[in-house]
Amino acid sequence: LEIVAGFIGKISGGNVYLMIAIIIWVSALASAFVDNIPFAATMIPVIQSLAASQGVALTTMTWVLSMGTDIGGSATPIGASANVVGTSVAAKAGHPVSWGSYCKTAVPATVIVMIISTLVIFVRYL
């Protein structure tokens, strides 16, 4: 995890905005396919290391990780438990929702919310 933190720090080149954008967007992408709780738990040492080495408040990094992992889960039918339950209930009611139809609607909405969230983090915390 220290290697991951070092890699993110190296890619961002000390640019806090880029570092935050990487974390929020990678978190969102990962959470679209992986359960967000284990992913967030795994990323805690990474954000702690980045906060210490890059001089960013840990609270800022916590919000970045939280927003990315939470919002990213909306993008796919398996990204969040509510999505799985919702698509199952719809299928049982005779209205199956395919991956394609779900993602066709959810991915653009998730991207829009992610853009807004990234900008809010920049304005509010930096």
Side-chain angles (χ1 to χ4, degrees), residues 75-118:
T76 64
I78 62 166
S81 300
N83 303 355
V84 175
V85 171
T87 55
S88 296
V89 168
K92 285 182 183 177
H95 306 285
V97 179
S98 69
W99 260 75
S101 65
Y102 184 96
C103 292
K104 185 178 179 180
T105 303
V107 169
T110 302
V111 169
I112 290 168
V113 174
M114 284 298 300
I115 290 169
I116 293 167
S117 298
T118 303

Side-chain angles (χ1 to χ4, degrees), residues 44-70:
I44 289 171
V46 173
I47 65 167
Q48 287 174 329
S49 177
L50 284 169
S53 67
Q54 302 295 321
V56 179
L58 185 57
T59 54
T60 301
M61 299 301 286
T62 303
W63 275 109
V64 169
L65 179 62
S66 297
M67 290 177 81
T69 55
D70 184 43

